[in-house]
Amino acid sequence: MATGGLLAGRLALVSGAGSGIGRAICQAFAKEGAILAAVDVNKNNAESTLSMLQDGPHAAFSVDISSSSEVNAMMAQIKSHFSQPLIVAVSAAGITRDHFLLKMEEKHFDRIMDINLKGTFLLNQAVGRAIRDAETKDGSIINISSISALRGNIGQANYCASKAGVIGLTKTAAKELAKFNIRVNAVLPGFIETPMTDVVPERVRDIVSLLIPLGRFGRPEEVADTCVFLASDKSRYVTGACLEVTGGLYM
Ligand code: NAP
């Protein structure tokens, strides 16, 4: 385990830790000395993420982030497992269920809202309470939204609405939690190479890449580096912000 670093000794919860951006955040945080509570609906995947890190007192936990009872149980497990209080949390769990608006099924709208928006709400509420009660200084909550929240995206009415909701939630949480020394920010990735975008057809990827000023999809670690900044004291006067990590994509 890294002994120094921007996040030395800080306990950080990352949801969606078993894949893609969440996994990269765990790796980047660990490199900066954080202790990870890696949470995912699939605990084996979260454990795989931890197996990629240098040894440390990290632990994996299973949770369906859309269930308040599971979130509360996970928070109790984290509290009893670690000796130090939670100080950082990243809400990176998310899914897509794409279809055109006129063909989208209600159940797919509801599931997206449950995981992407309500799950982020439940995590912000639970972590906000935990950090407030521990009276730790300089808590940081980071919500992974999407550039699609601002621009819309064909076939993603449900997803874009959920991610726009995450921005409203973030800005309100930033105002309400500032008095407890908790900062809350959102990261808005563009197109990032993860299992979520593996399904994008080759011809669509080529078109999208032409629209990205930096000319390529992003890498999960490029989102993770932004999260390191937001989790650390380097961003101590940043709250309620939306940081775009898009290679300049604006469409
Ligand atoms: P990913 O590789 O699919 O990772 C998402 C992780 O969340 C998976 O491990 C998934 O588990 C987990 N998860 C799904 N439902 C869950 C639930 N109910 N409770 C807890 N964990 C759950 O996707 P990603 O690309 O890394 O996306 C991470 C975040 O970035 C998401 O919020 C996504 O919307 C956002 N984002 C991604 C991009 C992009 O281009 N990739 C762009 C903008 C925003 P399973 O695999 O077992 O379902």
Side-chain angles (χ1 to χ4, degrees), residues 50-214:
L50 295 185
S51 73
M52 296 168 183
L53 311 181
Q54 275 183 15
D55 282 350
H58 316 295
F61 302 87
S62 157
V63 72
D64 175 350
I65 209 69
S66 66
S67 157
S68 56
S69 58
E70 288 199 24
V71 169
N72 291 336
M74 171 199 72
M75 291 299 290
Q77 286 169 27
I78 289 173
K79 193 173 178 193
S80 69
H81 183 89
F82 294 101
S83 53
Q84 60 274 76
L86 193 62
I87 190 161
V88 173
V90 185
S91 175
I95 62 165
T96 53
R97 291 287 182 275
D98 297 353
H99 220 319
F100 298 116
L101 174 64
L102 301 188
K103 294 182 173 173
M104 187 172 286
E105 291 183 52
E106 183 180 351
K107 69 178 181 193
H108 289 155
F109 183 87
D110 289 345
R111 193 64 187 138
I112 288 281
M113 286 295 163
D114 275 352
I115 294 177
N116 295 4
L117 181 54
K118 186 178 143 196
T120 303
F121 157 72
L122 291 173
L123 192 71
N124 279 236
Q125 187 180 58
V127 170
R129 285 172 177 160
I131 300 179
R132 175 201 62 190
D133 293 348
E135 295 180 2
T136 40
K137 290 222 162 77
D138 306 323
S140 174
I141 298 174
I142 301 160
N143 295 322
I144 308 297
S145 174
S146 168
I147 195 64
S148 309
L150 303 183
R151 312 271 178 263
N153 199 23
I154 288 173
Q156 290 198 312
N158 50 359
Y159 182 80
C160 296
S162 73
K163 293 298 187 177
V166 167
I167 292 175
L169 171 69
T170 299
K171 288 185 175 290
T172 302
K175 289 185 174 177
E176 292 188 10
L177 301 185
K179 62 174 175 281
F180 304 116
N181 293 315
I182 304 170
R183 298 180 295 105
V184 190
N185 292 289
V187 173
L188 280 54
F191 287 86
I192 310 297
E193 300 278 5
T194 73
M196 185 178 274
T197 50
D198 280 352
V199 294
V200 177
E202 201 58 39
R203 75 186 163 78
V204 177
R205 296 172 71 89
D206 291 345
I207 295 167
V208 169
S209 295
L210 288 174
L211 297 171
I212 301 172
L214 289 182

Side-chain angles (χ1 to χ4, degrees), residues 6-51:
L6 288 171
L7 305 176
R10 295 187 192 190
L11 178 58
L13 181 161
V14 179
S15 79
S19 180
I21 291 171
R23 173 169 283 173
I25 292 168
C26 290
Q27 291 171 316
F29 278 15
K31 262 191 209 149
E32 294 295 339
I35 298 160
L36 272 310
V39 311
D40 202 283
V41 69
N42 184 328
K43 190 178 173 188
N44 288 340
N45 290 346
E47 280 169 346
S48 298
T49 296
L50 295 185
S51 73

